[in-house]
Structures are given as C-alpha cells and as structure tokens.
Amino acid sequence: MLIEKGYKYRIQPNKTQQEQLETMFSAKRFVWNHFLKLNMDRYEKKEHLIPYNKMSKLLTELKGNHPWLYQCEKSVLQNTLKDLASAYSRFNKGQKKYSKKTLEKAARTGKALTFYDLEGHPKFKSYRDLVQSCKMSWTGNNIEVKEKEVQYTSSGKYRKQNCKIKLPKVKDVKIAYSRPYQGRMVSAAITKESDGKYYVSLCCIEIEHEPTAATGSNVGIDMGLKAFYYTSDKEVAENPKYYRKYEKRMIKEQRKLSRRQKGGKNRNRQRVKVSRWHKRVRNCRKDFIHRLSTSLIERYDQIFIEDLNVKGMIKNRRLAKSIADAGFSEFFRQLEYKGKWNYKLVRKVDRFYASSQICSKCGHQSEQTKDLSVRLYRCEECGLEIDRDFNAAINIQKEGLRTAS
C-alpha cells in the first residue's frame, strides 16, 4: 500500500542561516497580509475574491516594487498564496457566525464587529506570533539530505553524525537525522517554535507500507477521565495526566513571567522557559497516544468508539482542564488514519446512544447511571452487576457491530 507521510527533524542553522530564515518568514507574512487586505476590500464591496492564478501574476508585480522579496525562495511565496486561497475556500463553505468569546469581548469593549471577526476568517500574521513557518516545494533536487555514517569501533553499530540538509537560499544546515525518510519528497516546511528551536518537516509520498496482519477480533471502547479508556475486553488504559503532573512547576514559571517587564530580555528568556514546559507536556501526551493507538490497530480489525463532543465538553468549567489534558481528539485522529493505513475499520458510535444506561446482558435501560457518582451498574431486570464503564464498552461494541453489518 502506498501512503503519504511526514518526517520531522530538528535542524541547527548558524547565525547567517537564521537571518535568511527570518527573511523568509518576513516575506511570507508580508505577502499574506498584502493579499489578505486586497481580498478583504473586495469582500467588503461584495466582489469576487482574487483567485490563486491572478494572485500569482500580481505577486510578480509586487516583487518588482519590493526587490527584497527576491531574497526569499519563490516556492515559499507561491505556497503562501495557495494557503490563503484554500483558507478563503474553507471560510466560504463554513457557517458565517461569531464565536461566543468574540461576542463577549465586543460587549465588554464596545467595539463594532465586522466580517473579519467571523469564525474561520483568515487572520493577519505578525512577527510577534510565537510560531513562524514557511513551506518550500521540492523541484530539481533543490532539497536534499546529505547523510554521513560513522561506525562505532566497539559495538560495530552505525549512527548518523554531521548530517546536513540542503535547503534553497539557506544552503547546508545541520540536521538531527534520527531516521531516514522514505518515498518521494514533495515539500519541506521550516518551523521556528516558541522556544526558539528550528525544525524541518519533510512531506513524502509513494511510501511502501506493509499493513499489519488481520486478527479477526473487534473491540468497543468507552472513553473516560479517571482512566483514559475502558474496552469490552476488560482492559483499562490509565490516564497519565501529564498537565497535572507538571502543573505546579508551570504555574511557578508563569508567575515569574507575569512579573517581568514587557519588552525586556529577561521576559523573553522566561517566556522560552514556559514554552519548554508546555512543549514537554505536549510531547509526552502525543507519545502516549501514539503508543496506545498503534497497539489497538495491531490487535483489532474492528474498533468501535464512542463519538464525543469534545468542543462542547470543554465548556464545562469543572472538567475543561482534565478533558483538554486527555487529548481525545488527537487519539481519534490517530486511530482513523492508522486504521486506513492498515485496512482496519475504525467507526464512531452515535453520541446519543445511551451506552451507559443499557444493560449489556439483557438490554434493559435504566437511568441510574445519569448520576456520575454511580460507578457500578446494577440491572433491575436480570440482576447483572458490572462496572459502568465496562458495561458501556460492551454496549458500544454491540452497537458498532450492528451498524457495521
């Protein structure tokens, strides 16, 4: 099976290369903001938006008026226009409404709302944004990883050392080449994260992927907060709660940041420290979810999981932090694309299906579990006593099999 995959590596540009990358980031912001303003003026006048082909021609004129744009790789600016065109396409297809947060801010400040404040409308980019990025296309071998293998004298194993990646306008940059990429490279995205570190993400296609062997088994999964999930096979995945684990230290560092003077060097140093703690939590959570999702895909051919309204659940102020810390949406996303790669069925059961209220043995429905403090399900008809979460997982499995058939 041929799949598309991304490979992310840490890069270490020198001072000159960092300046060149900053020039590319600035050029991208300038082009994005320029054409966004043009489209906003046309949108306000109820005229047709400028399509990508016309924006590409106008970009040539813009370069003539601003020669410094030639210092940027041309594919970076072309990809910027494509991203803007696709952003407006998504905005036009979506619902035109204001978010609750936007409405509350307008009521508090007395500011009149415009179409720019609508949900999904493209926003202007700023050099103050903590994350900066640009995307360049692969053409004529302009992006190339230069490997260098060094052999250990004692163990005889090989390791990568002093590897570099050739990037347009930036030349050879040191790269932590932890694993070789596969397939055919089509683009590379350079990202400067909030902690000041640089990364390159290589998008590759036509990668040969061997699907995992079929097992003939299926499972139902009930998500939770005390434990991450419960399965119909009586398996429990503990919730590591990484944010709670590092919360005290993060609060301490955030307090230090709030006391620093704005615009000072000490404030920027402290901001980087806070960003590193958030990055640690994010990486721990993503690693945990990758391990769980891969394990499920390898063991089951059919996975049925309850469909959660995560966006609505986060509005609960008592549980919002715990729900966001769990990373349910990322877990669903990984299960879905890994299932497609391995020809496994991953299906969500209707969120309005009363999986916790139905007896998994006789099918009798009771409203006793509407109270979340009730952890044991006792059936009034057949007398079954079972943990409410395992009971829900079994019901999700049965409902999933019914709908799949």
Side-chain angles (χ1 to χ4, degrees):
M1 180 182 182
L2 297 180
I3 64 172
E4 179 181 347
K5 196 174 181 180
Y7 298 85
K8 187 175 181 179
Y9 306 97
R10 168 89 183 276
I11 58 174
Q12 296 175 325
N14 56 35
K15 190 174 182 180
T16 305
Q17 292 168 339
Q18 288 181 20
E19 292 175 355
Q20 180 59 40
L21 290 174
E22 292 297 334
T23 301
M24 289 190 180
F25 297 151
S26 299
K28 175 189 173 179
R29 292 194 303 266
F30 179 80
V31 171
W32 174 281
N33 293 340
H34 175 79
F35 285 98
L36 176 58
K37 184 64 171 63
L38 291 180
N39 278 313
M40 285 177 61
D41 293 340
R42 295 178 67 89
Y43 192 88
E44 193 172 10
K45 297 176 184 177
K46 297 184 179 180
E47 298 178 358
H48 290 291
L49 300 177
I50 308 174
Y52 165 73
N53 294 334
K54 190 172 181 180
M55 284 194 292
S56 182
K57 293 179 181 178
L58 294 174
L59 178 61
T60 306
E61 300 177 9
L62 188 65
K63 284 184 175 181
N65 298 329
H66 302 275
W68 68 275
L69 292 176
Y70 284 103
Q71 299 177 29
C72 178
E73 163 65 16
K74 62 180 181 180
S75 62
V76 170
L77 304 182
Q78 295 291 343
N79 287 321
T80 300
L81 297 181
K82 290 179 182 178
D83 291 342
L84 180 59
S86 61
Y88 261 113
S89 177
R90 290 192 299 271
F91 171 69
N92 290 331
K93 291 179 182 178
Q95 295 180 350
K96 308 296 188 298
K97 62 178 183 178
Y98 299 104
S99 66
K100 184 178 179 181
K101 185 176 180 180
T102 303
L103 293 172
E104 290 176 352
K105 184 178 179 181
R108 186 171 62 252
T109 60
K111 179 185 174 183
L113 294 176
T114 64
F115 66 91
Y116 179 76
D117 300 309
L118 290 169
E119 271 191 333
H121 191 281
K123 305 299 181 184
F124 287 105
K125 297 187 182 295
S126 170
Y127 71 92
R128 293 189 181 90
D129 295 339
L130 296 180
V131 178
Q132 302 288 341
S133 65
C134 64
K135 180 181 175 183
M136 49 187 68
S137 302
W138 183 94
T139 52
N141 208 29
N142 61 340
I143 304 172
E144 180 185 6
V145 178
K146 300 179 179 179
E147 299 183 26
K148 184 178 180 181
E149 291 187 351
V150 178
Q151 187 176 15
Y152 282 117
T153 55
S154 57
S155 61
K157 295 182 180 179
Y158 286 92
R159 65 186 175 97
K160 305 292 183 183
Q161 181 178 330
N162 298 329
C163 298
K164 294 185 177 181
I165 181 171
K166 183 180 76 174
L167 297 171
K169 300 285 187 179
V170 189
K171 299 182 180 179
D172 295 347
V173 185
K174 289 184 180 180
I175 181 174
Y177 199 51
S178 53
R179 55 172 178 163
Y181 73 88
Q182 300 175 358
R184 181 169 63 87
M185 189 193 311
V186 293
S187 65
I190 314 296
T191 307
K192 179 185 177 183
E193 297 197 352
S194 56
D195 58 357
K197 294 180 180 179
Y198 293 84
Y199 295 87
V200 60
S201 300
L202 306 180
C203 179
C204 303
I205 61 174
E206 300 176 4
I207 300 174
E208 289 286 349
H209 176 72
E210 186 67 28
T212 57
T215 60
S217 56
N218 56 74
V219 68
I221 299 176
D222 179 68
M223 307 303 296
L225 290 178
K226 186 176 181 181
F228 189 73
Y229 67 61
Y230 301 81
T231 71
S232 54
D233 293 341
K234 302 293 181 68
E235 179 187 343
V236 182
E238 295 301 325
N239 189 354
K241 301 178 182 178
Y242 290 110
Y243 183 84
R244 299 289 188 181
K245 181 180 179 181
Y246 298 108
E247 186 176 17
K248 288 185 179 179
R249 184 58 186 270
M250 293 170 72
I251 290 174
K252 182 179 178 181
E253 297 296 336
Q254 185 65 45
R255 282 176 180 166
K256 289 182 181 179
L257 177 63
S258 65
R259 298 189 188 104
R260 297 290 188 266
Q261 185 178 357
K262 291 186 178 180
K265 290 184 178 179
N266 287 335
R267 181 181 177 85
N268 189 56
R269 292 193 190 100
Q270 187 62 30
R271 181 194 61 77
V272 171
K273 287 184 181 180
V274 174
S275 298
R276 285 174 181 168
W277 279 104
H278 281 283
K279 188 176 181 181
R280 175 179 292 187
V281 172
R282 185 169 67 249
N283 289 342
C284 290
R285 184 187 300 123
K286 188 173 288 188
D287 178 71
F288 167 73
I289 292 175
H290 267 298
R291 293 175 187 272
L292 277 188
S293 58
T294 301
S295 174
L296 289 171
I297 291 296
E298 289 176 349
R299 290 184 291 147
Y300 300 103
D301 287 352
Q302 294 178 314
I303 300 174
F304 306 106
I305 191 167
E306 62 174 333
D307 184 15
L308 297 177
N309 180 17
V310 179
K311 190 174 181 180
M313 291 167 62
I314 288 181
K315 294 179 181 179
N316 184 333
R317 64 184 181 86
R318 297 182 181 275
L319 300 175
K321 191 180 290 185
S322 297
I323 293 169
D325 187 23
F328 291 142
S329 297
E330 176 66 13
F331 180 64
F332 298 156
R333 186 189 71 85
Q334 290 188 18
L335 273 182
E336 286 176 352
Y337 82 76
K338 289 178 182 179
K340 290 179 181 178
W341 284 1
N342 296 281
Y343 300 112
K344 302 296 180 72
L345 175 65
V346 178
R347 176 171 291 184
K348 293 181 179 179
V349 173
D350 186 10
R351 67 181 60 169
F352 298 108
Y353 174 67
S355 59
S356 298
Q357 302 175 29
I358 298 174
C359 176
S360 57
K361 184 177 180 180
C362 67
H364 173 72
Q365 184 168 348
S366 172
E367 296 185 355
Q368 58 180 294
T369 52
K370 282 190 174 183
D371 183 2
L372 294 178
S373 63
V374 178
R375 306 311 302 172
L376 187 66
Y377 183 90
R378 294 183 176 88
C379 182
E380 298 143 355
E381 292 290 325
C382 65
L384 174 70
E385 290 190 0
I386 186 175
D387 184 277
R388 62 173 290 156
D389 297 303
F390 288 132
N391 180 67
I394 296 171
N395 286 328
I396 289 171
Q397 180 190 30
K398 290 181 178 179
E399 179 66 11
L401 289 172
R402 186 188 69 80
T403 57
S405 62

